[in-house]
């Protein structure tokens, strides 16, 4: 399990002990998913104490979650920062390998993403963008790219709706 810290480190494959305590011991993508999610209500309070106010540093690399990732904690308010690698270290990419949606930020979450490229989602409906921000979410994208995400009809032709970002009416988004 995770030791309470205000800063965690992750890389695609992980390194060292994979504890996430520093860049030499970066957690892998599966541990990162586990850190940023709540599997049941019993663990919610403990997990929120660990997550609230943290910074997650992602090393350069391509992070493929293999499925849409939901960042939400049952409507509870939580703040966090997710930072990509510095430009001199290489690019940090979150990809979906053509899944419908890369990331959904749920109500109550205030998150700053910095230096990350969100790429390669493929939607066949108008309501499946790469990034989806629910009512009550507060998202800042600093020096981020949302690219190579497509919205196509079932026959493969282009759909004339957005494939990058959708924010519901009461979501706050700063780009």
């Amino acid at each position: 399990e995770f030791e309470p810290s205000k800063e965690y480190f992750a890389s695609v494959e992980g390194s060292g002990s994979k504890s996430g305590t520093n860049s030499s011991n970066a957690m892998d993508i599966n541990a990162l998913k586990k850190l940023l999610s709540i599997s049941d209500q019993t663990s919610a309070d403990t997990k929120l104490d660990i997550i609230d106010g943290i910074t997650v540093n992602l090393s350069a690399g391509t992070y493929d979650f293999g499925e849409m990732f939901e960042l939400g904690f049952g409507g509870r308010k939580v703040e966090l920062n997710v930072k990509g690698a510095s430009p001199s270290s290489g690019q940090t990419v979150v990809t979906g390998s053509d899944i419908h949606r890369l990331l959904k930020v749920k109500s109550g979450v205030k998150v700053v993403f910095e230096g990350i490229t969100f790429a390669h989602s493929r939607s066949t409906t108008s309501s499946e963008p790469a990034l989806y921000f629910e009512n009550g979410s507060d998202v800042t994208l600093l020096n981020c790219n949302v690219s190579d995400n497509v919205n196509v009809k079932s026959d493969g032709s282009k759909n004339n709706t957005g494939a990058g970002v959708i924010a519901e009416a009461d979501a706050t988004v700063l780009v």
Side-chain angles (χ1 to χ4, degrees):
E1 205 53 30
F2 304 99
E3 293 183 29
S5 175
K6 288 300 172 190
E7 190 165 29
Y8 292 91
F9 296 82
S11 65
V12 174
E13 300 293 326
S15 60
S17 69
K18 297 186 182 181
S19 64
T21 55
N22 56 49
S23 58
S24 298
N25 293 299
M27 66 180 72
D28 64 16
I29 193 167
N30 292 322
L32 176 64
K33 286 169 61 173
K34 187 175 179 182
L35 172 69
L36 296 178
S37 63
I38 294 176
S39 57
D40 59 50
Q41 195 56 43
T42 310
S43 67
D45 292 333
T46 303
K47 186 63 78 86
L48 288 174
D49 287 342
I50 292 172
I51 295 171
D52 194 27
I54 68 167
T55 296
V56 176
N57 298 287
L58 302 177
S59 67
T62 300
Y63 296 78
D64 188 343
F65 289 110
E67 61 190 354
M68 178 187 69
F69 187 77
E70 288 192 12
L71 189 57
F73 308 97
R76 296 180 184 197
K77 297 210 177 287
V78 66
E79 294 184 23
L80 62 143
N81 299 296
V82 182
K83 294 183 177 184
S86 67
S88 62
S89 299
Q91 196 173 29
T92 302
V93 179
V94 172
T95 183
S97 295
D98 294 331
I99 60 172
H100 290 287
R101 182 180 290 154
L102 301 175
L103 176 68
K104 182 177 187 177
V105 178
K106 300 189 85 167
S107 178
V109 175
K110 181 176 183 177
V111 61
V112 176
F113 293 103
E114 185 175 348
I116 300 171
T117 295
F118 298 94
H120 304 295
S121 70
R122 180 180 176 85
S123 176
T124 56
T125 70
S126 61
S127 61
E128 294 284 339
L131 306 177
Y132 187 88
F133 308 137
E134 268 189 8
N135 284 329
S137 63
D138 185 340
V139 180
T140 301
L141 300 172
L142 294 174
N143 300 316
C144 290
N145 293 308
V146 180
S147 61
D148 297 321
N149 300 291
V150 295
N151 192 326
V152 296
K153 296 177 183 175
S154 58
D155 66 4
S157 62
K158 289 198 177 205
N159 205 341
N160 291 325
T161 57
V165 177
I166 288 182
E168 290 183 351
D170 290 331
T172 302
V173 179
L174 178 63
V175 180

